[in-house]
């Protein structure tokens, strides 16, 4: 996983895994959640997901949350993981706001040029 915590940037997959674990889930349920929430744009394989879960667990961003009836390990987000996810959401909002302002400014400038020069 290539997450850049110093800059605040997470991979999209990591962000969605953290979001999925605001409620305890086992691996397959995490895969389903991500596929549903992204309308099929992100589809994780089992190997990728379990590698990511292990890494996030080692980082202390998620933790085991007991076992399901059929013995599948469940995970949940930790307080640290919630802070990381909140930071990513703030970063994405700032990015979107900056992009919108630039696009609006450029559109206004282009419209003014067209009005002046035809």
């Amino acid at each position: 996983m290539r997450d850049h915590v110093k800059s605040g940037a997470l991979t999209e997959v990591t962000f969605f895994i953290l979001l999925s674990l605001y409620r305890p889930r086992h691996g397959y349920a995490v895969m389903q959640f991500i596929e549903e929430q992204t309308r099929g744009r992100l589809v994780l394989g089992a190997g990728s997901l379990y590698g990511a879960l292990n890494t996030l667990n080692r980082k202390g961003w998620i933790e085991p949350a007991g076992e399901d009836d059929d013995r599948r390990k469940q995970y949940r987000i930790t307080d640290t993981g919630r802070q990381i996810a909140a930071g990513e959401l703030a970063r994405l909002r700032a990015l979107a706001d900056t992009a919108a302002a630039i696009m609006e400014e450029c559109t206004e400038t282009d419209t003014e040029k067209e009005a002046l020069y035809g």
Side-chain angles (χ1 to χ4, degrees):
M1 288 187 337
R2 295 187 173 173
D3 298 311
H4 304 284
V5 178
K6 290 180 183 176
S7 67
L10 298 181
T11 65
E12 190 173 11
V13 169
T14 297
F15 188 46
F16 271 99
I17 290 171
L18 292 175
L19 293 174
S20 75
L21 296 175
Y22 270 75
R23 291 198 175 122
R25 287 187 169 87
H26 55 77
Y28 183 71
V30 170
M31 289 190 290
Q32 287 181 309
F33 174 89
I34 293 171
E35 189 170 348
E36 288 170 7
Q37 293 299 313
T38 65
R39 295 179 177 89
R41 188 174 47 78
L42 290 178
V43 178
L44 297 178
S48 297
L49 174 67
Y50 288 105
L53 290 173
N54 287 333
T55 298
L56 295 174
N57 187 38
R58 264 194 327 271
K59 289 181 175 185
W61 298 2
I62 66 171
E63 63 188 4
E67 293 182 0
D68 210 350
D69 292 339
D70 57 3
R71 303 293 225 200
R72 291 181 283 191
K73 186 183 279 190
Q74 290 191 340
Y75 294 91
R76 69 176 162 237
I77 193 168
T78 63
D79 289 340
T80 300
R82 288 175 191 268
Q83 291 172 357
I84 298 293
E88 178 66 356
L89 179 58
R91 187 190 72 80
L92 291 171
R93 284 182 172 156
L95 175 68
D97 290 347
T98 300
I102 291 168
M103 293 169 77
E104 185 177 313
E105 178 183 313
C106 290
T107 301
E108 289 173 358
T109 303
D110 290 345
T111 304
E112 290 169 3
K113 285 180 185 176
E114 287 176 19
L116 287 174
Y117 304 111

